[in-house]
């Protein structure tokens, strides 16, 4: 189980991640952990996360998350798909999320949030 021992039956995964994050916040920019036998990084520093997800996004397309497009079509999304399929999704969807489009949708978001 690596670092995830007890997750799922003693502790919820979200609680584990929150506690692990709190333990290293302010001490490191990122930490390593094992998910089963798979070494994984957990980004702690917000500026490093912004750099990875925004400025250097094209270098970090594979996130190692589960997706099975045949059995669960909704699981194949921009966060879970990898390599060329990720690039296809990104370039297909990115025009819809430009700053101008987000500004145009802002009032709709506010209206829907109020209704919710």
């Amino acid at each position: 189980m690596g670092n995830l021992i007890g997750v799922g039956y003693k502790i919820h995964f979200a609680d584990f991640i929150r506690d692990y994050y709190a333990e290293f916040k302010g001490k490191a920019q990122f930490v390593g952990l094992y998910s089963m036998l798979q070494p994984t990084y957990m980004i702690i520093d917000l500026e490093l996360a912004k750099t990875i997800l925004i400025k250097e996004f094209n270098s970090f397309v594979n996130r190692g998350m589960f997706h099975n497009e045949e059995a669960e079509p909704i699981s194949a999304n921009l966060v879970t798909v990898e390599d060329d399929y990720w690039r296809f999704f990104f370039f297909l969807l990115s025009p819809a999320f430009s700053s101008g489009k987000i500004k145009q949708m802002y009032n709709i978001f506010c209206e829907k949030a109020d209704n919710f």
Side-chain angles (χ1 to χ4, degrees), residues 7-112:
V7 172
Y9 60 93
K10 286 185 180 180
I11 185 172
H12 192 278
F13 181 72
D15 294 330
F16 169 80
I17 294 296
R18 182 197 60 224
D19 295 344
Y20 205 72
Y21 175 83
E23 181 179 346
F24 292 100
K25 186 177 180 183
K27 297 177 185 174
Q29 288 187 312
F30 63 92
V31 293
L33 59 122
Y34 280 92
S35 177
M36 303 295 228
L37 299 174
Q38 182 71 37
T40 306
Y41 287 115
M42 179 180 192
I43 307 302
I44 304 293
D45 182 61
L46 181 60
E47 292 304 316
L48 180 59
K50 286 180 185 177
T51 299
I52 291 170
L53 295 173
I54 298 170
K55 296 176 185 172
E56 299 294 332
F57 69 92
N58 208 26
S59 300
F60 295 94
V61 298
N62 298 336
R63 292 172 177 82
M65 298 181 74
F66 169 80
H67 69 281
N68 183 344
E69 189 172 2
E70 291 179 18
E72 299 179 41
I74 202 163
S75 70
N77 58 59
L78 192 58
V79 175
T80 60
V81 296
E82 299 179 344
D83 297 322
D84 291 335
Y85 203 39
W86 179 88
R87 286 180 176 83
F88 168 75
F89 262 121
F90 177 79
F91 290 112
L92 182 70
L93 294 173
S94 61
F97 293 98
S98 67
S99 59
K101 298 276 177 124
I102 297 294
K103 286 177 185 177
Q104 288 177 347
M105 292 185 283
Y106 179 76
N107 290 331
I108 296 170
F109 291 149
C110 290
E111 179 184 323
K112 297 302 178 188

